[in-house]
């Protein structure tokens, strides 16, 4: 949709949260509202920027569960302060759960809120 095209012009590392279920639902709703002319592209853009800021803040301050992970590092890279790691035979642990995966991609960026 139009919203996604506008957003890609000014990449923001916090856009990675838009790929989660909540972010995808928001983007689809905003696209629908723009198609029916209920919402301007500018307001849609501002809404997504606020989502990026709010979800980053919520994850930093509201989530209390600690997790650890390990695996074999296949590749890694850092581009514009965004780290990407590919792990093989990864294992993620919390106090109550263990999840294993043959291959995992982790994207990480600075935890401070975007300006």
């Amino acid at each position: 949709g139009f919203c996604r095209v506008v957003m890609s012009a000014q990449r923001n590392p916090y856009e990675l949260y838009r790929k989660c279920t909540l972010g995808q639902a928001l983007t689809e709703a905003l696209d629908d509202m723009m198609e029916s002319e209920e919402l301007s592209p500018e307001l849609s853009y501002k809404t997504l920027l606020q989502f990026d800021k709010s979800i980053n803040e919520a994850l930093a301050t509201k989530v209390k569960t600690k997790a650890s992970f390990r695996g074999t590092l296949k590749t890694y890279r850092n581009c514009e302060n965004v780290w990407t790691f590919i792990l093989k035979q990864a294992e993620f642990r919390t106090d109550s759960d263990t999840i294993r995966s043959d291959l995992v991609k982790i994207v990480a960026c600075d935890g401070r809120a975007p300006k």
Side-chain angles (χ1 to χ4, degrees):
F2 178 78
C3 187
R4 290 186 198 105
V5 173
V6 170
M7 301 311 295
S8 64
Q10 297 177 345
R11 286 307 271 176
N12 164 357
Y14 299 95
E15 287 182 21
L16 65 99
Y17 298 120
R18 294 181 194 176
K19 292 183 180 181
C20 72
T21 304
L22 184 61
Q24 288 176 342
L26 174 62
T27 302
E28 287 175 21
L30 293 172
D31 284 347
D32 290 347
M33 291 175 75
M34 283 192 304
E35 277 183 31
S36 64
E37 298 182 357
E38 297 174 67
L39 188 69
S40 70
E42 294 79 20
L43 188 53
S44 176
Y45 177 75
K46 287 181 181 180
T47 301
L48 284 171
L49 288 178
Q50 183 60 52
F51 171 78
D52 296 338
K53 184 178 177 181
S54 295
I55 196 158
N56 181 64
E57 183 179 318
L59 290 171
T61 61
K62 305 288 185 208
V63 176
K64 303 298 181 200
T65 302
K66 301 283 184 190
S68 63
F69 63 91
R70 67 181 190 184
T72 303
L73 184 61
K74 182 176 176 186
T75 61
Y76 68 94
R77 75 177 142 268
N78 182 341
C79 182
E80 296 181 9
N81 249 1
V82 177
W83 284 93
T84 303
F85 302 93
I86 306 292
L87 297 176
K88 296 185 333 185
Q89 304 305 315
E91 181 178 279
F92 294 82
R93 289 181 184 239
T94 65
D95 291 337
S96 60
D97 252 341
T98 299
I99 300 170
R100 292 177 181 83
S101 178
D102 293 336
L103 193 64
V104 173
K105 178 179 180 180
I106 298 172
V107 179
C109 56
D110 189 339
R112 291 171 282 189
K115 296 179 180 169

